[in-house]
Amino acid sequence: MASCPILSCSAPANMTAINHGITSSFLDKVHEVTKQFFSLPMEEKRKYSREASKIEGYGNDIIFSDHQILDWTDRLYLMVNPEDQRKFTFWPKNPTDFRDILLKYAMELSLITEVILKAMAKLLNLEDTCFLEQMGEQPTMIARFNLYPPCPRPDLVLGLKPHADGSAITFVLQDKEVEGLQFLKDNQWIRVPVIPQALLINIGDQAEIMSNGIFKSPVHRVVTNSERERISLAVFSSPDSDKEIEPIGRLFNDSRPRLYKKVKNYVDTYFQYYQQGKRPIDAVRY
Ligand code: OGA
Ligand code: NI
């Protein structure tokens, strides 16, 4: 079991964990394989290209309309868990240790997900496992490797448009030198500093739903940089797609109303709404 992370809150619902139980040399490896993949020649990366209407694989935003403003980013999107849903045709063979490193990283993050969900339950004086149980037998884990190339007009284009994550918990391994991620707090964008060896842990919509809005899924975005590229890896930890989730019964009563409906496979709802420019969590309000 991973040791309990030391958490320092920088905003109501995200935190940077520095004593997370993953060694810094291993995090360096994760950075390294990410960088190595994005440094491959384009024809090599294209071997892993996503299909036109599917999200998994290498590419950019799916195109829905001519008016759509695209994010200034290349990404590699991989389903890591459950195991039987891995599509290894999209997993880079180069660097050769890419697969092993991603699998090991995912295992470590599954353990940290458990620690965090238990700690969140304790904070609310609930049964330790009440959030964990809602993750179901086969929780989902998706990895999204992001490359934000230098952008000549950072005033016009974002690396990633404002959004809240559709996960329960997200882990972001940020670039070690270049900033870009910002969180919206009290109508202001707050920069996330670069903290080497830190993992940024973010509450996603599904934890907001389970906690009946007590833990909030914050809106964030990535800005572009005119000179330097930025690399990051976001891993989204979510419940089993067959598991219905809902606010814990003890978190609503006559004075605190229930805010969210029961929902299954929220990630699907999430993408439909996101692509229409709507906030997905509004689809499940009670
Ligand atoms: C995301 C995300 C932040 C980053 O992929 O959802 O918010 O720094 N990424 O790339
Ligand atoms: Ni995000």
Side-chain angles (χ1 to χ4, degrees):
M1 193 51 166
S3 58
C4 192
I6 293 177
L7 306 172
S8 62
C9 280
S10 54
N14 63 63
M15 50 217 161
T16 44
I18 44 175
N19 191 6
H20 38 60
I22 306 184
T23 63
S24 30
S25 64
F26 184 66
L27 283 185
D28 282 346
K29 279 217 149 90
V30 179
H31 269 296
E32 196 52 38
V33 292
T34 307
K35 226 178 177 134
Q36 284 170 330
F37 170 71
F38 283 122
S39 310
L40 294 175
M42 190 50 91
E43 68 268 22
E44 172 92 19
K45 289 189 276 193
R46 288 229 173 95
K47 290 183 188 159
Y48 309 103
S49 290
R50 65 172 179 78
E51 294 162 45
S53 61
K54 301 246 172 77
I55 195 163
E56 184 154 14
Y58 173 69
N60 311 95
D61 290 351
I62 297 183
I63 311 277
F64 290 94
S65 91
D66 292 344
H67 308 294
Q68 190 177 338
I69 299 176
L70 301 180
D71 290 333
W72 193 268
T73 179
D74 283 354
R75 55 177 85 102
L76 173 68
Y77 187 104
L78 299 174
M79 186 89 174
V80 182
N81 285 331
E83 197 174 332
D84 61 4
Q85 288 189 36
R86 291 176 193 155
K87 294 200 184 96
F88 284 123
T89 47
F90 292 116
W91 292 47
K93 293 192 182 55
N94 191 356
T96 48
D97 49 356
F98 184 97
R99 187 191 285 204
D100 288 348
I101 289 187
L102 178 55
L103 291 175
K104 178 163 186 236
Y105 186 51
M107 221 176 61
E108 303 263 15
L109 296 185
S110 300
L111 296 177
I112 301 180
T113 301
E114 285 185 21
V115 172
I116 290 173
L117 289 175
K118 282 187 181 165
M120 285 165 60
K122 271 196 196 143
L123 265 175
L124 302 181
N125 290 323
L126 299 168
E127 188 88 21
D128 266 25
T129 54
C130 68
F131 294 128
L132 207 49
E133 273 162 15
Q134 294 210 40
M135 296 294 277
E137 282 185 12
Q138 292 203 291
T140 315
M141 193 170 268
I142 291 167
R144 186 155 96 171
F145 299 79
N146 304 295
L147 167 74
Y148 304 98
C151 172
R153 291 297 303 269
D155 53 327
L156 295 180
V157 191
L158 289 167
L160 197 53
K161 284 188 275 298
H163 67 283
D165 294 341
S167 58
I169 306 283
T170 305
F171 299 91
V172 184
L173 186 61
Q174 295 203 87
D175 196 285
K176 291 209 278 192
E177 289 168 12
V178 184
E179 267 183 35
L181 180 58
Q182 302 182 336
F183 279 84
L184 189 61
K185 187 168 182 253
D186 304 328
N187 281 323
Q188 285 201 322
W189 290 106
I190 315 284
R191 314 166 13 236
V192 177
V194 168
I195 308 176
Q197 314 312 344
L199 264 180
L200 183 103
I201 299 174
N202 189 30
I203 297 288
D205 288 353
Q206 299 197 68
E208 175 161 342
I209 294 167
M210 294 190 271
S211 70
N212 198 35
I214 293 178
F215 292 110
K216 296 213 167 27
S217 163
V219 172
H220 52 285
R221 68 178 187 180
V222 175
V223 295
T224 46
N225 184 302
S226 60
E227 275 141 40
R228 304 191 61 184
E229 71 173 31
R230 178 173 180 270
I231 281 173
S232 70
L233 167 58
V235 174
F236 304 97
S237 193
S238 300
D240 187 325
S241 57
D242 285 333
K243 178 86 181 161
E244 263 185 334
I245 64 157
E246 63 181 327
I248 303 282
R250 282 182 50 203
L251 298 179
F252 54 89
N253 53 37
D254 291 345
S255 56
R256 185 182 168 83
R258 175 175 177 153
L259 298 180
Y260 300 107
K261 297 179 209 163
K262 246 187 196 165
V263 59
K264 195 160 90 172
N265 202 356
Y266 177 74
V267 174
D268 266 8
T269 312
Y270 182 88
F271 283 115
Q272 284 169 29
Y273 264 64
Y274 180 67
Q275 278 137 13
Q276 296 166 26
K278 296 184 194 157
R279 179 107 201 244
I281 203 166
D282 291 338
V284 297
R285 279 192 204 283
Y286 209 56

